Amino acid sequence: MHVNIKVKNIKLLGVVSKLVRQSQSLDQETAGLLSGNGLTFISQFENGKETVEIGRVLNLLEQLGIELEINLPPNLPEKTINKLKQLQTTDVG
């Protein structure tokens, strides 16, 4: 089953991550090891610390199988849309 959740803050993203982690029977320490993060980082993220590093969050989410998607505003200029399409086919990471 595919579930979409509109994330409005880091606390909600942390809670989603925690629920997925727990559903996979992973403790915080193991999730940290799998994602290259420490126990403190996982705990802070899951508890909604607003200053967590986005790169570390993205790595954790990837390890948990969580994909993020960005919904862009309507009526973007064609030039911007073309640039965005190019990003999808280029490895910018």
Side-chain angles (χ1 to χ4, degrees):
M1 176 187 226
H2 187 76
V3 178
N4 292 320
I5 297 173
K6 187 173 185 175
V7 176
K8 293 187 175 189
N9 57 54
I10 194 71
K11 187 165 184 77
L12 178 56
L13 188 57
V15 169
V16 169
S17 174
K18 179 180 181 176
L19 290 171
V20 171
R21 174 184 61 75
Q22 290 174 334
S23 77
Q24 297 171 354
S25 301
L26 297 173
D27 59 21
Q28 288 181 330
E29 184 176 1
T30 303
L33 290 171
L34 291 172
S35 64
N37 292 299
L39 178 61
T40 300
F41 173 81
I42 303 297
S43 177
Q44 290 174 341
F45 170 55
E46 289 183 352
N47 286 294
K49 182 178 179 189
E50 293 186 11
T51 57
V52 291
E53 294 178 44
I54 188 69
R56 294 172 74 182
V57 168
L58 293 174
N59 192 30
L60 172 62
L61 298 179
E62 181 180 3
Q63 294 304 314
L64 294 174
I66 299 171
E67 293 182 357
L68 291 186
E69 184 174 299
I70 299 171
N71 293 314
L72 301 172
N75 304 319
L76 288 173
E78 189 69 28
K79 184 176 181 180
T80 303
I81 292 170
N82 290 335
K83 286 181 180 181
L84 290 166
K85 287 180 180 178
Q86 288 177 343
L87 285 177
Q88 286 185 305
T89 60
T90 306
D91 182 16
V92 293

